[in-house]
Amino acid sequence: MQSRIAYLEKERDFIKGLYSDMPQVLNMISKGALLSTLLGNFKNKLQAQLPNAYCLFIVCDKDCSQWRLQYKDSINGSLLSSNGQLVTVPQALITFAASPSCPKRHDINIQSSVDWKHWQPFFKDHGFSDASIVSVSDGQGSIYLMLAFQREETLLEGELMALALDSYASWLDAVFEREKADYQLLEDSHRDPSTGLLRRFSFDNSFGIVLKDSRRHFQRAALLSIRLLSTSKVDDAELKVLADIMQETVRDNDLIAHYDERELVMGIRIQHLEDAEIVATKLLKSLSNPRFSTNRLIRDGLSVGIAFYPEHSSLEQLHQAASFASDSLSNAPGFRFEFHGSYYGTSAELYSL
């Protein structure tokens, strides 16, 4: 009974120390403190909570091919090469990081374990006998691992170590959720959630940067005015399908915006005039797939007008020229170029001038 009471008192004190400053931690997370600041605080908190253990903090990529220490000190220096990189990574650690469904692990007798053989000199130098590990993914391709090495004579009860690992994982999860929320809020402020396309203001800013870069580096750009030929009321679900196809069809660095319910505008960087024709042809070909036959917006067709920078030096001029080129199709599906005030059906005709 006395031993049970002693353990419960120890557990009480452990939990009290672990969560005593939780309001301050939550306040820091809610205010969006820097990730490096929060991680540093968690490191100090955990090391203070586990005074008889040595905590090692490592980050690896999701493919478990790149590993780095978050914090270097006089103890872990023997694990590093002359250029500050981990010399070797034990198989136990690689296997654990590659198994996100098992976020915790406890290994005993690590000084004689084959899976830990690369670090056994390190363990023997410091008398480490056990390793407790927890992993947390940031959802962006990185895995954060915390390893608590213990000595046999000062082993912490397994339940208390598990509690410490769970707490660390919860803190990191909260931080990464906050980072994710910040990103989503930023994305929502730039993109129309109904289409996933850039909002008008964001498109203007983004394409403005493209034009500035084009002037600086003597590059070309093109603006595409894509008009819906359907006269029916625009259905948001059908429009979203069209927007998704456009994003899948064009290159990752192309900029797309939904200006109004009858026009989509796309700005792209190009090297040659025919590059814009390739994009327009690819887009119209993708939309001709029979699986979109029930989508009225796609079925009724699109007219695409294309204008070029530096022939037109501002977004307003480019948009006006592209719109005129689209109108020149007289509500017929297809694409047409505006070039020096005239309209052409292929890029080859532009070079014949």
Side-chain angles (χ1 to χ4, degrees):
M1 178 63 73
Q2 288 181 340
S3 62
R4 178 59 178 165
I5 293 174
Y7 174 77
L8 291 175
E9 289 177 344
K10 181 178 181 180
E11 184 179 45
R12 178 202 62 194
D13 294 341
F14 189 87
I15 294 173
K16 183 178 179 180
L18 192 60
Y19 295 111
S20 61
D21 61 348
M22 194 48 56
Q24 292 92 326
V25 171
L26 293 176
N27 188 44
M28 289 180 66
I29 295 174
S30 67
K31 288 183 176 180
L34 289 174
L35 177 61
S36 58
T37 300
L38 290 168
L39 293 178
N41 286 347
F42 296 158
K43 166 190 173 291
N44 296 335
K45 170 72 174 177
L46 204 59
Q47 190 66 75
Q49 188 70 28
L50 304 171
N52 295 319
Y54 171 70
C55 298
L56 191 67
F57 298 85
I58 297 177
V59 181
C60 74
D61 65 318
K62 63 181 179 180
D63 297 321
C64 301
S65 60
Q66 299 180 27
W67 300 74
R68 64 177 175 86
L69 286 183
Q70 286 181 259
Y71 311 99
K72 300 170 186 176
D73 56 40
S74 59
I75 296 178
N76 61 42
S78 61
L79 300 175
L80 304 176
S81 64
S82 58
N83 61 3
Q85 302 297 315
L86 282 170
V87 177
T88 55
V89 180
Q91 184 59 46
L93 204 52
I94 297 173
T95 302
F96 174 72
S99 306
S101 59
C102 301
K104 285 189 300 185
R105 172 171 172 162
H106 180 78
D107 283 7
I108 62 174
N109 301 322
I110 55 177
Q111 291 189 14
S112 58
S113 171
V114 174
D115 286 345
W116 288 97
K117 64 180 181 180
H118 296 304
W119 284 5
Q120 283 174 7
F122 171 71
F123 299 151
K124 291 176 182 177
D125 287 345
H126 299 283
F128 298 139
S129 61
D130 291 59
S132 299
I133 327 172
V134 64
S135 71
V136 183
S137 171
D138 68 352
Q140 302 294 322
S142 295
I143 303 171
Y144 287 73
L145 302 107
M146 193 283 290
L147 297 80
F149 296 120
Q150 298 185 83
R151 299 173 179 87
E152 189 173 358
E153 63 272 17
T154 55
L155 276 178
L156 184 67
E157 287 82 356
E159 295 85 353
L160 299 185
M161 177 58 76
L163 185 61
L165 298 184
D166 287 339
S167 298
Y168 181 74
S170 296
W171 300 336
L172 260 63
D173 277 333
V175 172
F176 295 145
E177 282 298 320
R178 170 59 199 244
E179 296 259 311
K180 180 181 177 182
D182 285 347
Y183 177 78
Q184 289 176 333
L185 288 171
L186 179 63
E187 281 292 290
D188 287 346
S189 70
H190 289 291
R191 295 184 180 274
D192 182 344
S194 65
T195 63
L197 304 177
L198 290 172
R199 296 182 189 274
R200 173 69 178 270
F201 179 76
S202 295
F203 176 82
D204 289 355
N205 280 344
S206 297
F207 194 67
I209 294 173
V210 171
L211 291 181
K212 288 180 181 178
D213 288 345
S214 298
R215 293 187 190 101
R216 185 178 299 113
H217 302 293
F218 304 100
Q219 296 174 339
R220 278 195 167 275
L223 193 81
L224 284 69
S225 171
I226 303 169
R227 294 192 176 276
L228 307 176
L229 298 182
S230 173
T231 56
S232 303
K233 180 180 179 181
V234 175
D235 179 85
D236 286 344
E238 291 185 336
L239 182 61
K240 182 65 168 63
V241 172
L242 174 57
D244 288 345
I245 296 169
M246 292 173 64
Q247 290 176 307
E248 292 170 2
T249 301
V250 300
R251 299 168 300 185
D252 289 341
N253 65 342
D254 287 342
L255 307 168
I256 305 170
H258 181 211
Y259 274 8
D260 57 41
E261 70 171 12
R262 294 294 167 186
E263 181 190 29
L264 295 150
V265 176
M266 180 168 67
I268 59 175
R269 303 172 190 269
I270 59 173
Q271 291 185 352
H272 309 287
L273 295 178
E274 60 263 29
D275 292 344
E277 180 174 4
I278 292 172
V279 170
T281 301
K282 186 177 179 182
L283 174 61
L284 295 176
K285 182 178 179 180
S286 296
L287 296 174
S288 66
N289 192 306
R291 67 190 175 99
F292 304 124
S293 60
T294 58
N295 186 308
R296 289 175 303 168
L297 297 184
I298 297 176
R299 184 182 62 212
D300 291 347
L302 305 172
S303 64
V304 181
I306 305 170
F308 298 101
Y309 170 85
E311 281 70 25
H312 301 282
S313 59
S314 69
L315 173 58
E316 182 179 0
Q317 293 171 343
L318 281 162
H319 183 231
Q320 184 179 60
S323 296
F324 287 161
S326 176
D327 290 341
S328 73
L329 286 164
S330 302
N331 293 324
F335 62 85
R336 188 161 290 176
F337 299 97
E338 190 281 344
F339 198 65
H340 294 289
S342 300
Y343 303 107
Y344 303 90
T346 68
S347 58
E349 296 175 23
L350 308 181
Y351 290 106
S352 65
L353 293 177

